[in-house]
Amino acid sequence: MKRALITGITGQDGSYLAELLLQKGYEVHGMIRRSSSFNTGRIDHIYRDPHEKDVRLFLHYGDLNDASSINTLLRTIQPDEIYNLGAQSHVRVSFDVPEYTGEVDALGAVRILEGIRETGLNTKFYQASSSELYGKVVETPQRETTPFYPRSPYACAKAYAFYITVNYRESYNMYACNGILFNHESPRRGETFVTRKITRAAARIKLGMLSCLYLGNLDAKRDWGFAGDYVEAMWLMMQQDKADDYVIATGETWSVRTFAEKVFERLGMPLEWQGSGEGEQGIDRTTGRVVIRIDPKYFRPAEVDLLLGDPSKAKRQLGWELKTSFDQLVNMMVDGDLKQAEREMRANG
Ligand code: NDP
Ligand code: GDP
């Protein structure tokens, strides 16, 4: 039985990857952080009491900022594969906590790599790299050979993690690979990322639980895929003869504005835009009510205007395939948030 260690198992991707690896027969170990409130909501459905029989999912306390906890996990678990998904993953927040973001997202990666080197473990390493590395547009679509131009403390930290992964592969002949994943979303996406923020708020507006949604830059464009499809690519990258780096993307790009339009349309509240700049508003055409306003606090000190990836290397070499279309993703997220809001409404009487 193969053993995998996942950092960031309580996050969006960690939860989908854990499901996938359990389905494939792995023993799965996840690093979790101590928190004053429960932070395992995304994996509760696959977790079983370790006292039961044939349990294959185990959780361990640890932190990417704590090399001793990482080394202990490496020594005791002896994983065949390590997926480093743990991160302070929010670009806007990284401007508020730049140093911490560097500690976790940049140095966290080298702590694991150095742990592998030092213990002499024969393990494969996956680094969750990001399309944010491309930042300012140098070339579209962006592919493995496109130069990086990071535009946030998050992206700068991820650039370090990318290169240190390549460096350990070249220096120590380790199986260490980077998945350069473009934005990927799901009903489990963190509530402050723009897609989930929109689907969650729109569902609440529909049910009368919220009156207005405040957003930042509506014109930013992203290549949005479904997280469930993207974790398959992570696994495929770890099953090759030789480690390499791959772009994972849909090859389509959409603006935040279009995403919002599709969401409100799905909920029977078609949008009309009025005004411009910071005064722009989204109006529900059926009622004439303002449902979207701009709040400049969501603008970023430096913006990434356009991301559009070319996944042809992954398709060709890994046989990876995109299964979920953009419209399917939007609908899945809207329907999930509508159900959740309805549950909350019932629970609150
Ligand atoms: P999430 O924010 O949903 O999950 C992040 C995970 O990292 C959580 O489990 C979190 O734990 C954990 N974590 C945070 N800080 C630490 C720490 N100091 N030590 C250990 N664990 C920590 O992110 P996603 O699942 O969306 O993304 C997974 C990875 O992929 C991240 O590295 C992200 O930067 C990267 N990425 C994501 C993209 C996307 O579109 N989703 C695109 C490209 C890259 P807790 O639950 O306790 O907060
Ligand atoms: P990112 O690509 O990793 O930064 O993912 P996000 O979902 O956080 O942001 C995607 C884009 O949406 C960025 O260009 C943001 O500037 C833009 N955006 C516009 N309004 C908002 C908002 O209210 N919250 C967030 N998170 N992003 C917003």
Side-chain angles (χ1 to χ4, degrees):
M1 193 192 299
K2 274 198 191 169
R3 256 194 314 271
L5 170 62
I6 304 175
T7 71
I9 193 168
T10 55
Q12 170 188 256
D13 291 8
S15 67
Y16 283 108
L17 180 66
E19 278 173 11
L20 179 77
L21 297 181
L22 288 171
Q23 269 165 30
K24 291 188 179 296
Y26 280 60
E27 184 177 291
V28 177
H29 295 260
M31 175 199 274
I32 59 166
R33 296 197 288 176
R34 145 78 189 149
S35 160
S36 65
S37 45
F38 286 121
N39 58 355
T40 53
R42 292 188 181 97
I43 49 170
D44 283 345
H45 64 289
I46 47 174
Y47 184 76
R48 284 168 47 203
D49 188 316
H51 301 99
E52 287 178 28
K53 264 196 181 156
D54 303 327
V55 170
R56 285 191 288 116
L57 173 62
F58 302 93
L59 302 178
H60 312 267
Y61 284 112
D63 199 298
L64 285 165
N65 275 347
D66 183 310
S68 60
S69 68
I70 294 172
N71 291 340
T72 304
L73 293 184
L74 293 184
R75 233 188 13 259
T76 52
I77 299 167
Q78 306 239 329
D80 301 292
E81 296 174 7
I82 301 175
Y83 295 86
N84 183 31
L85 311 185
Q88 190 301 93
S89 65
H90 203 283
V91 172
R92 178 67 193 82
V93 174
S94 77
F95 287 98
D96 300 330
V97 288
E99 187 183 331
Y100 172 76
T101 303
E103 280 289 344
V104 180
D105 298 14
L107 296 183
V110 78
R111 289 188 186 107
I112 301 178
L113 287 162
E114 190 52 15
I116 298 171
R117 189 191 67 77
E118 225 183 335
T119 49
L121 266 183
N122 183 18
T123 183
K124 294 180 173 180
F125 176 81
Y126 172 89
Q127 172 58 28
S129 286
S130 164
S131 54
E132 288 292 320
L133 293 171
Y134 297 120
K136 199 164 182 175
V137 178
V138 176
E139 173 186 50
T140 40
Q142 292 126 4
R143 47 178 71 92
E144 292 79 3
T145 50
T146 303
F148 295 156
Y149 195 142
R151 295 269 284 167
S152 62
Y154 168 82
C156 292
K158 286 283 184 181
Y160 175 89
F162 176 92
Y163 284 121
I164 201 70
T165 299
V166 173
N167 181 252
Y168 270 61
R169 177 166 80 216
E170 292 175 354
S171 304
Y172 306 115
N173 201 24
M174 277 187 195
Y175 193 109
C177 59
N178 283 288
I180 309 172
L181 270 51
F182 282 62
N183 296 52
H184 45 282
E185 320 293 312
S186 74
R188 296 183 203 166
R189 182 63 146 147
E191 285 92 345
T192 60
F193 292 92
V194 77
T195 54
R196 185 75 200 288
K197 181 173 166 182
I198 295 172
T199 57
R200 189 167 177 272
R204 281 157 192 267
I205 291 171
K206 174 77 188 172
L207 297 180
M209 297 162 78
L210 184 76
S211 54
C212 188
L213 160 66
Y214 290 87
L215 291 173
N217 177 10
L218 298 174
D219 295 315
K221 289 183 156 182
R222 291 290 180 274
D223 179 330
W224 280 298
F226 171 51
D229 293 347
Y230 285 35
V231 297
E232 287 185 17
M234 295 179 190
W235 177 78
L236 283 168
M237 280 179 224
M238 297 283 260
Q239 313 309 313
Q240 307 304 306
D241 295 333
K242 230 172 115 251
D244 203 348
D245 310 315
Y246 299 89
V247 161
I248 303 298
T250 69
E252 287 179 1
T253 192
W254 305 84
S255 66
V256 171
R257 185 189 300 279
T258 307
F259 188 91
E261 285 167 4
K262 284 186 179 270
V263 168
F264 279 81
E265 182 79 47
R266 171 86 176 165
L267 289 163
M269 300 184 285
L271 283 181
E272 185 180 300
W273 301 99
Q274 280 179 9
S276 63
E278 291 180 20
E280 190 167 6
Q281 297 178 337
I283 317 276
D284 170 1
R285 275 199 272 130
T286 55
T287 60
R289 276 188 312 152
V290 178
V291 287
I292 298 180
R293 288 182 206 275
I294 305 301
D295 183 343
K297 97 171 172 201
Y298 297 115
F299 294 157
R300 289 154 186 209
E303 179 60 289
V304 172
D305 296 319
L306 167 70
L307 292 175
L308 171 60
D310 173 4
S312 45
K313 178 177 169 187
K315 288 187 173 173
R316 203 174 50 245
Q317 293 188 18
L318 304 175
W320 176 73
E321 273 180 66
L322 183 76
K323 295 182 185 146
T324 312
S325 72
F326 181 64
D327 283 347
Q328 284 171 324
L329 173 65
V330 172
N331 295 347
M332 180 198 308
M333 293 180 72
V334 172
D335 297 352
D337 273 321
L338 193 57
K339 277 204 190 103
Q340 189 175 318
E342 283 166 351
R343 270 197 304 273
E344 279 174 38
M345 235 173 117
R346 274 198 302 275
N348 296 330

